[in-house]
Amino acid sequence: MSSSALLILLAAHLAAGEATSTTTLTATPATLTNPDHAVTLQWSNLPDPGPLDYVAVYSPPTSGDLNYLGFLFLNSSASWATGAGSVTLPRLPDLRAPYQFRLFRGPPGQNPRVDQDGGPLPDASRRAAVSGDVAHEGSGARPAQLHLAFTDEADEMRVLFVCGDGGRRSVRYWPAAAGRREEWEEVPAEASTYERRHMCGHPANHSVGWRHPGFVFDGVMKALRPGTRYSYKVGNDLGGWSETHSFISRDAEASETIAFLFGDLGTHVPYNTYFRTPQESLSTVKWILRDLQALGDKPAVISHIGDISYAKGYAWLWDHFFEQIEPIAASTPYHVCIGNHEYDWPSQPWKPTWAADTYNGKDGGGECGVPYSIKFRMPGNSSLPTGTVAPDTRNLYYSLDAGVVHFVYMSTETDFTHGSDQYSYIKADLERVNRSRTPFVVFQGHRPMYTSSNETKDAAHREQMIRHLEPLFVEHGVTLALWGHIHRYERFCPMKNYRCLNTSSSFVYPGAPAHVVIGMAGQDFQPSWEPRPDHPDVPIFPQPQRSMYRGGEFGYAKLVATREKLTLMYIGNHDGQVHDMVEILSPQVGADDGSPGKLVGALPGKMRYLGIAGGVVLALLLGFMAGFAVRRKKKAESAGWSPVQDEES
């Protein structure tokens, strides 16, 4: 065969997307064993390498060239220009199917396909080499993605995990101080899953985004002794057991509560994909793990208030997420509430006219709450039909007691207005709170009631929350309201109908909750703070008087509460240190009648003087505010800015 014919044949192979015999691509090891999840890719004999040549990641290996999980440009290797090099992919989770890697030549000139940041996306048209398959040892059979949650019973703990088949699995658990076989308890775990037809839109129901989620197993450990460390593992003898983990059981009489709280974490993947994934989410998990380990045998709870994995219809990102949080979630109850990136889709059941700009129908990537509803199981039984063939949306609103704090979770994505099921639940739940047992109430939801972010499209939503929910907060003594959605940290003073009740960072509960936005756990794309309207050309972003502290650093919140005091701290990922703190002192619980949901005005002996002093300060403050309002009318709120504390300044 002539040289010209060989060139024609080679060009035909490239055009057809077939591997050539000259370029090689290898992936090692062929089998991934725990905890080794790293794959090294090596290539050689790549002629005329270009800066847009890349390796794409696939699972399962039968995926079409355009249905990649992600990709890495070869120029991330120092030797790429020689036509040979290597890259390493760490933390590849078990997707219950082998991985395969394919090397492609980048197109000449500018790639017309771009991601959300304007970066080039592969068009998979010029395949040059294909690797062998790489699989996890025991792939699909061995349990993965373990995470705990409380149930409605104080002496139980739920564990959820994923396997590739729906065969019988169990949970074995025992007091950690024991270990003899006769002290083990074993309970069955129930399996559930969902299908591609349950997805509500692109990319979740398209071949580019859909991957089978496996089977989610749900097992409940029962009759646990209060405040006791238990060991457990999940699986079966045939497919294998997970590693042994441990947790501290709940103690209803505990006099202290410790919680780690955040929103909008997301997950980071070690390759480029269809949108940017937040590397800061790794730091958040790392610092929380540090804090959990320092607690020793003290129990804690984790609270993730919406926008969980940011999979947005790309199913394997859920696998990355659960692999990422397992070091903390397999030992500490991990509680969630739903956000827009789990739920919103065009035909969602509740979309009032005032929310046309709020619920835009695209944020969920076609998932319509299904993965969220199956992969998590929270207390209570709240649910809402999707109106499609998909299963009902679950885990919408619920509450739980942990030590001295009553935690309430809501859904900001479904109807919360007066007369709705959710409103009725919240009202009844707050009325039932036993303040002698849980003197503090912490309310949580995704979209905030108060923020100074320039997130104008949610303005109507915030007004509706203040109108319908804030009166309940005030009437029933909610201590603290925590929100996500805004990817910053911002602490407000105790608020009542836009009015600030106390500007101190340590105060006796004044009759309304302090509001704190804690959506700073990982995601970074975010509108700026609200600018001053009289500076359109040179923006100034002043801090309103009701905003006590706001910062742009990533991080999380830590809550520590005793019967006398609740403390909330903002810990920054950049140094692992506390950067803001608020202390809320509790009024005395009405112990005489034991009535739930009631607070009395009397203060404990040592706190009575604090109450008197606080009252004087509050009276002076209210007098000043009233006079100020008379002078400046309504414009005072937008123009009367005062930078109290600002991490960015």
Side-chain angles (χ1 to χ4, degrees), residues 138-193:
S139 178
R142 179 173 294 174
Q145 306 178 25
L146 280 66
H147 53 109
L148 300 174
F150 289 138
T151 73
D152 289 313
E153 303 299 327
D155 64 346
E156 296 180 349
M157 184 71 77
R158 165 172 277 116
V159 57
L160 295 102
F161 56 95
V162 172
C163 293
D165 64 86
R168 184 180 181 277
R169 301 297 196 285
S170 299
V171 182
R172 287 180 180 172
Y173 61 101
W174 62 94
R180 294 174 297 181
R181 174 65 181 88
E182 57 268 22
E183 295 195 43
W184 290 356
E185 298 287 343
E186 186 165 335
V187 294
E190 297 182 358
S192 59
T193 190

Side-chain angles (χ1 to χ4, degrees), residues 49-100:
L52 291 181
D53 296 339
Y54 58 92
V55 171
V57 185
Y58 296 86
S59 182
T62 54
S63 301
D65 280 348
L66 280 171
N67 296 332
Y68 46 79
L69 308 182
F71 58 96
L72 283 172
F73 290 110
L74 302 191
N75 62 17
S76 60
S77 172
S79 61
W80 73 273
T82 69
S86 66
V87 293
T88 299
L89 285 169
R91 301 183 313 276
L92 290 180
D94 183 3
L95 299 184
R96 301 158 300 280
Y99 286 91
Q100 187 185 81

Side-chain angles (χ1 to χ4, degrees), residues 30-46:
T31 301
L32 294 173
T33 58
N34 290 327
D36 178 16
H37 289 189
V39 175
T40 298
L41 304 176
Q42 292 182 301
W43 66 93
S44 61
N45 299 324
L46 182 65

Side-chain angles (χ1 to χ4, degrees), residues 311-570:
K312 295 188 289 188
Y314 296 98
W316 63 91
L317 294 181
W318 279 108
D319 297 284
H320 277 276
F321 172 79
F322 282 109
E323 175 104 349
Q324 179 174 309
I325 68 165
E326 185 175 293
I328 59 176
S331 61
T332 308
Y334 196 102
H335 284 265
V336 295
C337 63
I338 199 165
N340 51 302
H341 285 294
E342 286 76 59
Y343 186 71
D344 291 4
W345 85 96
S347 57
Q348 64 192 77
W350 187 64
K351 188 180 287 187
T353 55
W354 54 260
D357 293 333
T358 302
Y359 304 129
N360 62 28
K362 301 176 182 178
D363 292 346
E367 291 184 353
C368 52
V370 175
Y372 168 84
S373 299
I374 302 298
K375 292 176 179 292
F376 292 103
R377 180 73 183 274
M378 297 294 103
N381 58 2
S382 62
S383 65
L384 182 71
T386 59
T388 70
V389 297
D392 291 354
T393 308
R394 303 190 312 187
N395 309 317
L396 294 173
Y397 44 88
Y398 62 96
S399 67
L400 60 92
D401 289 342
V404 296
V405 177
H406 181 73
F407 292 97
V408 186
Y409 296 79
M410 75 165 291
S411 164
T412 59
E413 310 310 298
T414 56
D415 193 355
F416 54 80
T417 60
H418 191 280
S420 67
D421 289 345
Q422 180 169 204
Y423 177 92
S424 299
Y425 173 86
I426 293 171
K427 181 176 184 295
D429 182 81
L430 292 176
E431 290 172 346
R432 290 193 301 265
V433 176
N434 186 341
R435 304 309 283 252
S436 64
R437 175 176 292 176
T438 54
F440 298 103
V441 176
V442 175
F443 193 94
Q444 298 164 93
H446 183 59
R447 299 181 195 253
M449 187 178 289
Y450 289 99
T451 177
S452 65
S453 166
N454 198 27
E455 184 83 18
T456 56
K457 69 176 184 177
D458 281 350
H461 189 274
R462 293 193 291 270
E463 292 171 0
Q464 292 294 322
M465 291 180 68
I466 291 172
R467 174 185 174 188
H468 292 277
L469 297 181
E470 190 176 68
L472 294 180
F473 292 2
V474 173
E475 179 181 358
H476 299 291
V478 172
T479 313
L480 188 65
L482 301 177
W483 314 101
H485 194 57
I486 306 301
H487 303 155
R488 307 285 181 90
Y489 172 85
E490 184 170 25
R491 174 172 61 87
F492 290 85
C493 57
M495 296 295 297
K496 180 180 178 181
N497 194 23
Y498 301 99
R499 186 164 57 93
C500 180
L501 301 187
N502 192 306
T503 59
S504 172
S505 59
S506 180
F507 51 86
V508 177
Y509 175 73
H515 291 254
V516 188
V517 177
I518 56 172
M520 67 295 186
Q523 282 295 341
D524 56 355
F525 51 92
Q526 184 61 49
S528 63
W529 303 114
E530 185 177 356
R532 210 166 95 179
D534 58 347
H535 275 258
D537 299 326
V538 183
I540 294 177
F541 306 103
Q543 189 168 355
Q545 288 181 321
R546 62 177 179 262
S547 174
M548 299 293 98
Y549 187 104
R550 65 185 189 185
E553 295 288 350
F554 296 101
Y556 57 97
K558 179 181 179 181
L559 180 150
V560 179
T562 63
R563 294 195 175 278
E564 293 77 28
K565 180 176 68 175
L566 181 150
T567 303
L568 186 75
M569 294 162 275
Y570 162 41

